[in-house]
């Protein structure tokens, strides 16, 4: 690693992990989770099953990784935002940035498949299991920015919890909206409303 940047080995490992996670999600959405084998995921990512097992212990972990990693990336991005930037502006920029690759015009069939996939108990359990870590990382980033204590103060915990709730609600709305809507502006709007203090819609 040089000047705080990951070295070639770390970048390759990150790319492999991302490729495996995307392959797991795509195949599970296409076939159903129970119809996807580790060998299928590894082949789709161009690696061996042994390599897959070096990165993930289950199909659910592989699928959830991309969602979890985006939050961890956002926490890192928040720490790097300009110090003079208002908290909620910085937080919105940091949280939305990892979703730059989200489709502007999502496919209805893909959304329907993801909606079914998220009903899988193993995925729900994996999302819950990793939630504490991602929330803690975002809380720590908020605390560092605001000069508060991530363990003892209420404020950074409330901010992180509110932001992650906005992410969850935006995702649920994205998966149920008819007609379909792009995710990134939807999430940005949810964060904007939070930053504004959730004003009464009838007064705006």
């Amino acid at each position: 690693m040089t000047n705080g940047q990951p070295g070639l080995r770390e970048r390759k490992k990150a790319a492999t992990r991302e490729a495996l996670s995307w392959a797991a999600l795509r195949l599970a959405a296409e076939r159903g989770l129970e119809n996807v084998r580790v060998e299928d995921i590894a082949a789709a990512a161009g690696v061996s099953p042994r390599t897959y097992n070096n990165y993930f212990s289950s199909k659910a972990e592989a699928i959830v990784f991309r969602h979890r990693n985006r939050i961890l990336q956002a926490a890192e991005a928040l720490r790097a935002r300009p110090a003079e930037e208002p908290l909620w502006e910085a937080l919105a920029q940091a949280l939305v940035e990892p979703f730059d690759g989200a489709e502007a015009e999502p496919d209805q069939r893909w959304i329907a498949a993801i909606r079914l996939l998220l009903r899988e108990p193993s995925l729900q359990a994996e999302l819950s299991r990793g939630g504490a870590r991602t929330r803690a990382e975002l809380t720590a980033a908020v605390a560092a920015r605001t000069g508060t204590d991530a363990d003892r103060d209420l404020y950074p915990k409330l901010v992180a919890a509110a932001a992650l709730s906005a992410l969850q609600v935006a995702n649920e709305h994205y998966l149920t909206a008819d007609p379909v809507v792009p995710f990134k502006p939807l999430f940005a709007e949810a964060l904007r409303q939070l930053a504004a203090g959730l004003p009464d819609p009838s007064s705006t």
Side-chain angles (χ1 to χ4, degrees), residues 6-19 47 55:
L8 179 60
R9 180 181 176 84
E10 287 75 17
R11 292 198 302 272
K12 284 184 175 181
K13 289 175 68 175
T16 299
R17 188 176 284 108
E18 177 72 17
V47 300
Y55 286 92

Side-chain angles (χ1 to χ4, degrees), residues 14-50:
T16 299
R17 188 176 284 108
E18 177 72 17
L20 285 167
S21 181
W22 171 241
L25 175 61
R26 178 175 56 81
L27 291 174
E30 291 173 355
R31 306 177 186 178
L33 185 61
E34 71 282 0
N35 298 318
V36 178
R37 304 174 305 158
V38 165
E39 290 81 3
D40 300 328
I41 299 170
V47 300
S48 68
R50 180 178 179 180

Side-chain angles (χ1 to χ4, degrees), residues 24-193:
L25 175 61
R26 178 175 56 81
L27 291 174
E30 291 173 355
R31 306 177 186 178
L33 185 61
E34 71 282 0
N35 298 318
V36 178
R37 304 174 305 158
V38 165
E39 290 81 3
D40 300 328
I41 299 170
V47 300
S48 68
R50 180 178 179 180
T51 297
Y52 171 94
N53 290 324
N54 288 336
Y55 286 92
F56 299 112
S57 61
S58 69
K59 292 182 290 185
E61 184 184 7
I63 292 170
V64 168
F65 167 78
R66 296 177 78 242
H67 170 77
R68 186 176 297 158
N69 194 49
R70 279 169 165 164
I71 300 173
L72 297 177
Q73 287 176 13
E76 291 182 11
L78 179 60
R79 293 177 183 273
R81 298 296 303 178
E84 66 276 9
E85 195 173 31
L87 172 63
W88 278 99
E89 182 177 335
L91 189 59
Q93 291 290 338
L95 281 166
V96 170
E97 183 178 308
F99 293 93
D100 281 346
E103 291 185 25
E105 297 182 6
D107 183 272
Q108 181 65 62
R109 292 171 299 178
W110 171 258
I111 289 182
I114 296 299
R115 191 184 302 148
L116 287 174
L117 184 60
L118 287 175
R119 295 176 185 173
E120 291 285 346
S122 61
L123 285 183
Q124 294 175 359
E126 185 63 32
L127 284 167
S128 297
R129 188 180 70 82
R133 182 197 169 194
T134 53
R135 186 169 61 251
E137 291 290 339
L138 189 58
T139 297
V142 172
R145 187 174 187 87
T146 58
T148 53
D149 190 306
D151 296 320
R152 302 172 65 179
D153 293 331
L154 195 61
Y155 183 79
K157 296 177 183 178
L158 281 172
V159 170
L164 293 177
S165 291
L167 173 58
Q168 180 180 348
V169 170
N171 195 53
E172 290 172 355
H173 189 82
Y174 166 73
L175 291 173
T176 57
D178 186 14
V180 296
V181 294
F183 176 78
K184 185 177 175 180
L186 182 65
F187 184 30
E189 173 61 16
L191 291 169
R192 186 197 67 77
Q193 291 191 29

